[in-house]
Amino acid sequence: MSEELKLTILKKLDSEGSIEDTTAAFKGVSEEVVLGALKSLESQEKVAYVTLTTEFWTIEAEGKDQLENGSYEARIFEAVPAGSQGIAIKDLEAKFGKVAKLGQGKCLANKWVKKDGDSLVRIADSIVDQVKAGLETVHATGTHPSKDTIKDLKRRKLIKANKTVSYAVSKGAQFSTELKKQATDLTMEMMQSGAWKSAEFKKFNFKSLGVNPNGGKLHPLMKVREEFRQVFFETGFEEMPTNNFVESSFWNFDALFVPQQHAARDLQDTFYLKDPAVASSLPDFWKTVKDVHEKGGYGSIGYRYPWSEDEAKRLVLRTHTTAVSAHMLNKLAQGPYRPAKYFSIDRVYRNETVDATHLAEFHQVEGVIADKNMSLGSLIAFLDMFFKKMGMSDLRFKPTYNPYTEPSMEIFSYHEGLGKWLELGNSGMFRPEMLRSLGLEEGVQVAGFGLSLERPTMFKYDVSNIRELLGHEVDLGMIARNPACRLDKKMGREALQRSEAVDEI
């Protein structure tokens, strides 16, 4: 159809010299198809065209009623008898319904009738129904010479504006009735054969807008993760390498002073590897860790059980990023003393039952601070500053138990929208049994804290089921639509609850 239409346009131009209106010249062909053919011919400079826009008016359903039966006001006027007796308004309403009220108002405004108590009485002897006359003109011609009439009919929603688009076409600079297939690319074959010399190339339109690429989008977890990273960097932390997802039980548990009979090491809580099942070796200081577990040391009596090297070699999917912290603290101990701040944000694995708030894998945010004279008070002061950067200023700390920190604290923040305290994470001072075994000198204390990445993400993006955030049930549209995360601003469920609280007030 397109090629045939192009040839038809060229032949018509060749015979007639120009086309004044494509709508009249090509009846039955949509203007979209005509425009496509004209643009193609214009790109070859065979034709030139200008757009013709014609406005016309059509009569709406209410207008058709008044075109056939007269305007509402004319109907009311005709229903009012001549003389001083008039007609009761209630009789008009009974006869004409809602039309009575509309027509009555216009009659009074036009001073055709007047009120006499509960009746209407004629003032004028006769009238001209200008509304009906205007509609007849619009119906016959598609327009009206009086702009005021058009404005009035449009205001009363009796007519509707319409537009038709057509084109006036003339010959272009390269006009001919022959259509050549234009090449879009200069190919190797054309270069070799010399065909490029006689080929006609399609011109490039450098002003046209390309299609917006459907690029990748950051997952909400990655947006929140980046916000956390920036907070850590602002406070002087160094990011730890976290690409070691498989750890020996030694690094995941034993080096942290977690006893080998601890419940966290059971099969129902930890994923153990089947092949390979064990590490090939343990670090040089494994005997120090063994002695601390069995006999104690550094002020501790230990756990007093027979420590097993084979158990320590078992490979696991890391259950926390604290295993990475242990590696970094051991590495720190190899050089001369220096204060250090480390952080990590990455995946960890737990053998847990999957439900709306738990998965077998999740992301852990962890920070450790190593310095001489580091104390629990120093940790609390830092956490207060750290969480303020995320918009959480009202904190509480509750004593708790962790195998590798003492004292240990759970961190809570008061949420105004929910009206209750929410648990943020865990924290504490690493035990000397762990630190001295890793090689850190006396006087160096290490504070640590951690929280999940999923919980603040679910809250920020108003996700109630964690399986909608990770896994096969994730809505990719949700990932593309969601905005960047601002930890220091109210958004998602927080903003909604804040709005509801204001409405209640």
Side-chain angles (χ1 to χ4, degrees), residues 159-215:
I159 60 174
K160 181 178 72 171
N162 297 271
K163 286 184 180 180
T164 57
V165 177
S166 60
Y167 307 95
V169 189
S170 58
K171 293 180 180 180
Q174 302 296 325
F175 176 80
S176 72
T177 56
E178 182 184 1
L179 280 178
K180 283 186 179 181
K181 186 174 178 62
Q182 291 182 307
T184 56
D185 296 299
L186 180 63
T187 64
M188 180 180 67
E189 289 78 11
M190 294 170 69
M191 295 287 289
Q192 290 174 339
S193 65
W196 63 274
K197 297 177 182 178
S198 58
E200 186 175 324
F201 290 93
K202 186 175 182 179
K203 290 187 175 181
F204 286 99
N205 182 4
F206 293 103
K207 294 181 180 179
S208 65
L209 296 176
V211 177
N212 288 328
N214 188 19

Side-chain angles (χ1 to χ4, degrees), residues 367-384:
V368 294
I369 306 171
D371 200 355
K372 289 184 177 179
N373 301 317
M374 185 72 187
S375 67
L376 187 66
S378 305
L379 174 61
I380 291 173
F382 171 79
L383 292 174
D384 187 60

Side-chain angles (χ1 to χ4, degrees), residues 108-129:
L108 291 169
N110 293 338
K111 295 184 179 180
W112 295 349
V113 298
K114 68 176 182 179
K115 267 189 176 183
D116 185 6
D118 295 331
S119 301
L120 289 182
V121 180
R122 279 193 184 187
I123 299 175
D125 295 328
S126 63
I127 62 163
V128 176
D129 192 350

Side-chain angles (χ1 to χ4, degrees), residues 50 56 79 117 123 226 260 264 282 289 317 379 386 405 429 446 474 502:
V50 294
F56 66 97
I123 299 175
E226 186 57 30
Q260 292 184 340
L282 294 178
V289 172
L317 289 178
L379 174 61
F386 181 82
T405 58
M429 303 297 297
V446 180
V474 171
V502 170

